[in-house]
Amino acid sequence: ITLNSNSDNQNNALNIKEIKEIKGFYNKNIGGFLNNYSQKATIGDNITFSSNSADFGGGAIFNSGQIELKNNVKFINNSLIKFVNNSNNDFGGAAICNNGTLIIGSSVTFSNNIDDTYKGGGGAIVNYAKEDSEGNKHNAYLSIGDYALFEGNETNDSGGAICNYIDWLKGES
């Protein structure tokens, strides 16, 4: 894992490569392994994210910056933890919660990821455009390459594989 930063915080970059597996990380908030806030991250080829978990969103990864996943990346058995009476538990995305830019390469696998939260959505991915407390709208962008495989992903809410959600349209038709 390489993290490059400069003092003006303009060109921070996270590059993850030459790692076979990222397994068993937990965060009691968001992003079991990685929280990427407004930065650029690249995750290399042939990495497996397995058995990572978080309480609110992104069992493996939470992104509000820009992430590029290269080819043959796997997300297996990642989860969000169930809090039955917690109505604030609404991010979702057992593998990835995205409210930034997420570019996924080819032959990526999402298998048996489970969002077991009270509400949320996206057994594998939630693509979550939101409005902040000051009324600014933040779009989310998701691109998935060829030959992606989604199998056995589950959620208690919307989108067993992918939930594409726009916060500011709640209640509108």
Side-chain angles (χ1 to χ4, degrees):
I1 298 175
T2 305
L3 177 61
N4 299 317
S5 299
N6 65 20
S7 60
D8 64 6
N9 206 22
Q10 293 294 316
N11 295 312
N12 293 350
L14 173 66
N15 295 301
I16 302 171
K17 58 184 180 178
E18 299 179 20
I19 295 174
K20 184 177 178 182
E21 185 172 27
I22 295 172
K23 182 177 183 177
F25 286 88
Y26 166 74
N27 188 315
K28 66 181 181 177
N29 196 356
I30 55 178
F33 170 72
L34 173 64
N35 289 313
N36 187 50
Y37 293 107
S38 68
Q39 302 302 322
K40 183 176 182 180
T42 302
I43 299 173
D45 298 321
N46 305 310
I47 296 174
T48 298
F49 290 83
S50 66
S51 303
N52 299 290
S53 61
D55 286 351
F56 294 104
I61 296 173
F62 177 87
N63 178 50
S64 61
Q66 178 180 337
I67 291 182
E68 179 181 5
L69 295 174
K70 297 291 188 174
N71 302 317
N72 302 307
V73 177
K74 294 178 175 55
F75 291 86
I76 301 170
N77 297 323
N78 297 287
S79 62
L80 295 180
I81 309 301
K82 186 173 187 174
F83 286 91
V84 175
N85 295 316
N86 187 349
S87 63
N88 293 323
N89 201 5
D90 61 356
F91 286 121
I96 301 173
C97 180
N98 178 55
N99 62 21
T101 298
L102 178 60
I103 300 167
I104 299 175
S106 66
S107 302
V108 175
T109 299
F110 292 88
S111 179
N112 299 316
N113 299 289
I114 298 174
D115 173 0
D116 199 20
T117 57
Y118 175 70
K119 65 179 189 175
I125 300 171
V126 65
N127 194 51
Y128 183 60
K130 65 178 185 144
E131 185 172 10
D132 65 24
S133 60
E134 296 160 2
N136 300 309
K137 294 179 172 138
H138 302 275
N139 292 318
Y141 175 78
L142 172 63
S143 173
I144 301 173
D146 295 336
Y147 310 109
L149 173 64
F150 291 85
E151 64 179 0
N153 300 289
E154 298 178 19
T155 184
N156 287 327
D157 202 341
S158 304
I162 300 171
C163 177
N164 193 39
Y165 183 76
I166 301 174
D167 181 61
W168 58 84
L169 295 180
K170 286 190 258 186
E172 295 181 20
S173 55

